[in-house]
Amino acid sequence: MATNRRTSRVASLIKREVSDLLLHGIKDDRVGAGMVSITDVNVSGDLQHAKIFVSIYGTDEARAETMAGLTSATSYVRRELGSRVRLRRTPEVQFVEDRSLERGDRTLDLLNRITRPAEDDEETP
């Protein structure tokens, strides 16, 4: 088992390399349908599995298309990681859509809606 420090270093290295692949390596047009950014990478303790969390900006159709493109590119991403990152075994890659930014934005919007009527009542005497 790898230490927490090693897993976090491997995760940050994978994040950097996959970000570079998204910009320059993956030629699938479906991946370019929505704006993609990597929000986090979780690597298992034995360094055999890596979950790559991606945030996709765009319509629902563009999100689905982009996720389909990323899913079909997993073998290419794993092969490129194997050649770029010096590990004994290259981890299995899984892309997961991360919608936490949208949920946070929606929560802030709801909080602003709740506080707005209270502020309007205080201003009108």
Side-chain angles (χ1 to χ4, degrees), residues 60-72:
D60 288 335
E61 295 83 23
R63 284 187 189 136
E65 195 173 324
T66 302
M67 280 305 294
L70 287 173
T71 303
S72 69

Side-chain angles (χ1 to χ4, degrees), residues 67-101:
M67 280 305 294
L70 287 173
T71 303
S72 69
T74 53
S75 61
Y76 169 75
V77 170
R78 184 171 187 234
R79 185 171 54 247
E80 284 296 312
L81 278 176
S83 66
R84 293 179 180 203
V85 178
R86 295 183 49 102
L87 291 172
R88 185 172 294 153
R89 292 190 58 193
T90 306
E92 293 287 332
V93 175
Q94 178 185 5
F95 287 101
V96 179
E97 186 176 0
D98 185 10
R99 293 196 170 206
S100 62
L101 296 175

